[in-house]
């Protein structure tokens, strides 16, 4: 495995069932990543050091998933110049996921977090790859092929429906 360019972090291990989708699509696209748990509330010192050292380790984009109060993406974004993509996670103590969505979405000016839909870690992985692809032609071609395959599947489904 090469030096990871994307970091996937989450507030707790229970978020892995959602965040694994980001890892899976990055693997499919041929993008190296690291994945770990970094809690904004239970391990704030770890969060501070992780976010501040990410760029020095070669990370280019951080995907941060969190449920409930969901402070991890915003706090990480406040500590680094790197782009942060927030994944709101519908957790067991969630208010139907709205608490997570709004916590990540409503960031103050100057601390942006690109926010995907509830539990949409796959889209976060794709977006992170698209950001990297602006400086990586091989990855750009992988993304083009990925999206062509999506198109092909939809066209195939349409033909199946229309022929029944």
């Amino acid at each position: 495995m090469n030096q990871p360019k994307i970091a996937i972090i989450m507030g707790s291990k229970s978020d892995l069932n959602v965040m694994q989708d980001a890892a899976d699509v990055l693997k499919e696209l041929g993008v190296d990543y690291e994945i770990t748990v970094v809690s904004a509330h239970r391990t704030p010192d770890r969060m501070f050091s992780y976010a501040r050292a990410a760029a020095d380790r070669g990370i280019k984009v951080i995907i941060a998933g969190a449920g409930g109060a969901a402070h991890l993406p915003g706090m990480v974004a406040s500590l680094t110049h790197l782009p942060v993509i927030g994944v709101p996670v519908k957790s067991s103590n969630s208010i139907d996921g709205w608490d997570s969505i709004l916590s990540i979405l409503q960031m103050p000016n100057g601390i942006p977090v690109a926010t995907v839909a509830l539990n949409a870690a796959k889209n976060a992985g794709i977006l992170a790859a698209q950001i990297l692809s602006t400086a990586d032609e091989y990855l750009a071609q992988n993304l083009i092929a990925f999206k062509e395959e999506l198109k092909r599947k939809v066209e195939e489904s349409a033909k199946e429906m229309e022929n029944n």
Side-chain angles (χ1 to χ4, degrees), residues 63-156:
I63 300 171
H71 290 129
L72 181 63
M75 288 300 298
V76 168
S78 76
L79 295 165
T80 183
H81 69 278
L82 298 175
V84 176
I85 302 169
V87 179
V89 175
K90 185 177 178 182
S91 60
S92 60
N93 64 342
S94 175
I95 305 169
D96 208 28
W98 282 106
D99 46 351
S100 304
I101 292 168
L102 295 174
S103 291
I104 298 170
L105 189 64
Q106 292 295 108
M107 292 301 299
N109 287 331
I111 312 294
V113 174
T115 308
V116 297
L118 185 66
N119 289 347
K122 183 173 185 174
N123 273 353
I126 294 166
L127 179 56
Q130 287 177 232
I131 292 167
L132 290 182
S133 77
T134 62
D136 183 333
E137 185 57 33
Y138 178 78
L139 180 54
Q141 292 305 312
N142 285 353
L143 280 159
I144 290 167
F146 177 84
K147 290 192 174 194
E148 282 297 317
E149 179 61 14
L150 294 176
K151 176 183 167 185
R152 186 196 66 73
K153 287 179 181 177
V154 169
E155 290 171 346
E156 184 179 292

Side-chain angles (χ1 to χ4, degrees), residues 44-56:
D45 291 337
R46 176 174 165 75
M47 179 197 60
F48 271 74
S49 61
Y50 187 91
R52 287 190 172 144
D56 290 339

Side-chain angles (χ1 to χ4, degrees), residues 152-164:
R152 186 196 66 73
K153 287 179 181 177
V154 169
E155 290 171 346
E156 184 179 292
S157 295
K159 281 182 185 176
E160 287 175 12
M161 287 184 119
E162 292 165 2
N163 291 329
N164 283 333

